[in-house]
Amino acid sequence: MNLWKKRAESAPPVPPDDPAEVGSAADVEEMMKKYDRESNTRQWEGAPKLAVKCVMVLFSLLCLYLTLFDRSQAEVRMTLFLGMIVIIGYLNFPLRKGHVKVNSLPFYDIIIMIIGSAPFFYFALNCRKIMMTSYNKISKDPFMILMAICAVLALVELCRRSVGLPILCVVGVLLIYTFSKVRFGKVIYDLFFTTNGVMGTPISVCQKYIVVFIIFGAFLERTGISNFFINLANCVAGSSSGGPAKVAVISSALCGMVSGSSVGNTVTTGSVTIPMMKKTGYQGEFAGAVEAAASTGGQIMPPIMGAAAFLMAEYTGIPYATIALLAILPAVLYFTGIYIAVHLEAKKLGLQGLRRDELPKFRVLVKKIYLLLPLVVLVVLVSNGSRTMQSAAAIAIIITILVGGVNNIVNAATKSGDTSDNISLQKIIDALEAGAKGTITVAAACAMAGVVAGCITSTGLASRLLRAIVSVSGGVTIVALLLTMLCCIVLGMGVPTTANYCIMASTCAPILMSEAIGVPMLAAHFFVFYFGIVADITPPVALAAYAGAAIAKAPPMKTAFNATRLAIGAFIVPYVFALNPAMLLIDAQWYEVVMITITALMGIFGVAAGLGGYVFKPLKAWERLLFVVGGLTLLIPGLATDLIGLVLVAGAGALNYWGAKKEG
């Protein structure tokens, strides 16, 4: 999902330690414009820029009002929201990549903007009348059908511009199939006039919850919390072997938790951590991969999980606090795997950490602990049920502004030379604008996710998909999981995580939950969510890895393959909790949780060591095989497999240790 995505064009400048070896913000922008549609936006200057900014700010304020205060019908709120999305979407995204001129808005975009947004505003103004009109009457009214077609096509084109073609290929195939099975008028009616189409659950959740969290994230970025997390990570791990890479893992986990964007997090924290890693001695493709893998994993990090926890709560009916709690162990395993990999790489290369005098002092850093207050308030309010998710986010926004004011006072009192994290009226306006921009792509993709769900509902395709997957897999759970994984990764290419999860939650999760496959509901939803995320580092479309490669001045594809290797836990852990829900604390005794935690950590170590090729000394091919096979065996639930895996990993480790002793 691309919540709270910070554009490459606004990336912090790269520290000028070695300009010849480190990419600049311009390099990142060029790379992302090549691969990422969301980075290709119109260029506004002068009065037009001010006008567009005003529209964006008003949109964010409207969203806050609709979410918090408006009590009209849900359809009214959603149509107003979508109408504004069409307007600001076409104000920001040109017809195609590179088709950008300063202060240029072609006449055809103006026409599409007007014709595409008007049906939504018409619906909002006449909602009660439309809702009381029968399907037969609407389906025979050419004006109403034409209006619906224009609205849906405008959203489809906006999705193509802002998200890309992969999701539209899925939508197109499903629409062709739906039109072949259901009457044309009925399809159009369902897609526009009911909650089984563009105004389905994904857009409902986007309008109610996600947009507020996008705005909250934009405000949070401007309080300096990213720098706080990076400094905190430096205090914890900066001086250890290969410290900068470990700093990248820790800081990206913390920043990604609230940013909700793999690419945005890579650009934000990577501009600081990647130069540090290269200076320490890591290869560019490895440094970029570490940042990309860790930034991508930030979205699975509780308690916020890039708003996925709130979406999952809506889809499953399980309280948010429960979902955030159950997500802890898989997230720990994911980041432990990356941490182990970078540690072993540092040992292999003989890398040192940063000097103590280069690290921030904890006693100084702890004085700014108040920067975490908005996050604490948000989590407490949502967890104890005293506020709805959207009102808790709004309160957190207010707390963020107040914390920013406190930060201004502290910086002035301490005569701090760095006032970049000071809050100001301009930053508040910029945050509202950034929140609006961050919403466009998510909303467009969520609308298409609603179309996908609507097509499946109208045609009864879900039961056919279930029969097909059961037939292909032969009812074998592991095969069904493999097929689902491939679907998630393909659909996730360049698609915001939120929308990807919405699609998979509507299509594949119910299949995994069926009696024929038998995966518990929460495990099925976590499974599709994890594999939707890793699409950002999985070749050939690995946007987070490409962003890391641009900063590291490294080959994009090499960086992507390295990121996939480092994030191997994200490809393994979902299978573990799908086959053994004890990892998600589902129907598990405490001793089962302890056992699976220990064996899973050992398994992650075995796989990371085998793929990295080093423990105490370089591993031979057969030793690497033993580590990988032993690690995978430890990750398979069962006492017998645990014992076999333990013998293989411990045996390979002992042999490698003795070999290193002899050579030493």
Side-chain angles (χ1 to χ4, degrees), residues 612-625:
Y614 186 92
V615 179
F616 300 103
K617 72 181 188 72
L619 298 174
K620 297 174 183 176
W622 62 270
E623 288 178 313
R624 298 181 70 165
L625 182 62

Side-chain angles (χ1 to χ4, degrees), residues 344-663:
L344 295 177
E345 184 75 11
K347 288 296 184 182
K348 181 169 69 175
L349 298 175
L351 304 182
Q352 302 299 314
L354 299 174
R355 298 195 312 271
R356 290 285 181 182
D357 59 357
E358 294 179 305
L359 299 175
K361 301 294 186 290
F362 184 75
R363 64 177 181 275
V364 176
L365 184 63
V366 76
K367 293 177 182 178
K368 288 204 170 186
I369 195 72
Y370 56 82
L371 290 173
L372 299 179
L373 186 61
L375 284 175
V376 175
V377 169
L378 173 67
V379 173
V380 169
L381 290 178
V382 175
S383 298
N384 64 19
S386 61
R387 292 286 189 278
T388 61
M389 289 187 283
Q390 59 267 45
S391 62
I395 292 171
I397 290 173
I398 296 172
I399 298 295
T400 303
I401 296 173
L402 294 177
V403 165
V406 171
N407 204 36
N408 290 4
I409 296 171
V410 170
N411 284 339
T414 58
K415 297 180 179 179
S416 172
D418 181 14
T419 58
S420 60
D421 56 357
N422 278 8
I423 198 71
S424 63
L425 178 60
Q426 182 61 49
K427 283 192 175 182
I428 292 174
I429 293 172
D430 289 344
L432 291 170
E433 181 187 17
K437 284 183 178 178
T439 305
I440 298 170
T441 306
V442 177
C446 281
M448 294 304 101
V451 172
V452 169
C455 290
I456 291 172
T457 302
S458 297
T459 59
L461 185 59
S463 60
R464 294 183 179 90
L465 284 173
L466 172 59
R467 287 197 296 270
I469 288 182
V470 171
S471 174
V472 173
S473 66
V476 179
T477 303
I478 191 72
V479 179
L481 291 172
L482 180 62
L483 293 172
T484 304
M485 176 193 76
L486 295 174
C487 289
C488 292
I489 291 175
V490 171
L491 282 174
M493 291 180 183
V495 178
T497 305
T498 310
N500 182 268
Y501 169 68
C502 289
I503 294 173
M504 302 314 295
S506 303
T507 54
C508 291
I511 294 173
L512 295 179
M513 291 155 47
S514 66
E515 291 184 9
I517 306 299
V519 178
M521 177 177 65
L522 196 55
H525 280 267
F526 268 107
F527 187 90
V528 300
F529 176 59
Y530 264 58
F531 282 113
I533 285 174
V534 297
D536 277 344
I537 53 172
T538 307
V541 184
L543 297 182
Y546 295 161
I551 299 173
K553 282 281 188 180
M557 203 54 67
K558 275 190 178 180
T559 305
F561 279 111
N562 270 289
T564 302
R565 173 172 65 85
L566 288 169
I568 192 65
F571 294 87
I572 298 173
V573 169
Y575 285 94
V576 179
F577 59 62
L579 296 171
N580 188 352
M583 181 177 282
L584 292 174
L585 313 182
I586 299 174
D587 299 327
Q589 301 297 323
W590 68 268
Y591 56 85
E592 292 179 295
V593 175
V594 171
M595 180 60 69
I596 197 170
T597 302
I598 294 172
T599 56
L601 286 171
M602 292 180 65
I604 288 290
F605 168 78
V607 173
L611 294 178
Y614 186 92
V615 179
F616 300 103
K617 72 181 188 72
L619 298 174
K620 297 174 183 176
W622 62 270
E623 288 178 313
R624 298 181 70 165
L625 182 62
L626 283 180
F627 270 112
V628 171
V629 172
L632 291 174
T633 309
L634 277 164
L635 289 166
I636 298 172
L639 180 59
T641 53
D642 287 345
L643 291 174
I644 294 170
L646 180 61
V647 170
L648 291 175
V649 171
L655 290 172
N656 188 254
Y657 175 76
W658 290 328
K661 276 286 190 183
K662 288 179 181 178
E663 291 179 7

Side-chain angles (χ1 to χ4, degrees), residues 133-141 144:
T133 305
S134 68
Y135 152 68
N136 287 330
K137 189 170 183 180
I138 289 179
S139 63
K140 294 176 181 177
D141 186 335
M144 300 294 276

Side-chain angles (χ1 to χ4, degrees), residues 249 252-253 293-295 297-298 300-301 330-340:
V249 175
S252 296
S295 295
I300 62 175
M301 187 69 180
V332 168
L333 290 175
Y334 177 87
F335 284 104
T336 300
I338 300 176
Y339 195 92
I340 290 170

Side-chain angles (χ1 to χ4, degrees), residues 37-214:
R37 286 188 175 272
E38 195 175 354
S39 298
N40 286 272
T41 54
R42 299 189 197 278
Q43 296 178 9
W44 299 105
E45 293 180 0
K49 181 178 181 178
L50 180 62
V52 172
K53 182 186 284 284
C54 288
V55 173
M56 305 293 282
V57 170
L58 289 173
F59 170 77
S60 288
L61 294 174
L62 172 66
C63 288
L64 291 172
Y65 172 78
L66 290 175
T67 301
L68 299 172
F69 305 111
D70 190 80
R71 295 294 177 266
S72 56
Q73 281 182 267
E75 288 81 2
V76 173
R77 296 195 300 272
M78 285 190 285
T79 47
L80 282 174
F81 175 75
L82 285 170
M84 287 301 299
I85 283 293
V86 171
I87 290 175
I88 66 173
Y90 284 95
L91 283 175
N92 279 277
F93 290 97
L95 181 65
R96 60 181 181 269
K97 290 182 179 182
H99 197 255
V100 179
K101 295 179 181 178
V102 177
N103 293 343
S104 173
L105 183 64
F107 73 93
Y108 51 79
D109 278 347
I110 297 174
I111 293 172
I112 296 174
M113 187 193 308
I114 294 171
I115 294 177
S117 62
F120 290 109
F121 296 133
Y122 178 86
F123 195 128
L125 292 172
N126 299 276
C127 182
R128 186 178 296 276
K129 178 182 175 182
I130 291 173
M131 297 298 291
M132 294 179 66
T133 305
S134 68
Y135 152 68
N136 287 330
K137 189 170 183 180
I138 289 179
S139 63
K140 294 176 181 177
D141 186 335
F143 171 73
M144 300 294 276
I145 294 297
L146 180 62
M147 184 174 67
I149 292 172
C150 289
V152 173
L153 288 179
L155 283 175
V156 168
E157 170 60 11
L158 177 58
C159 185
R160 183 195 68 79
R161 295 183 182 199
S162 61
V163 181
L165 289 175
I167 188 174
L168 291 185
C169 292
V170 177
V171 171
V173 170
L174 283 174
L175 281 175
I176 292 171
Y177 178 80
T178 304
F179 282 127
S180 70
K181 298 291 183 181
V182 184
R183 292 191 305 276
F184 179 83
K186 173 65 173 170
V187 175
I188 299 300
Y189 176 82
D190 286 344
L191 290 182
F192 184 73
F193 294 103
T194 74
T195 54
N196 290 325
V198 294
M199 290 186 287
T201 300
I203 277 293
S204 175
V205 174
C206 185
Q207 183 269 317
K208 283 168 62 179
Y209 307 130
I210 296 176
V211 64
V212 188
F213 283 94
I214 293 175

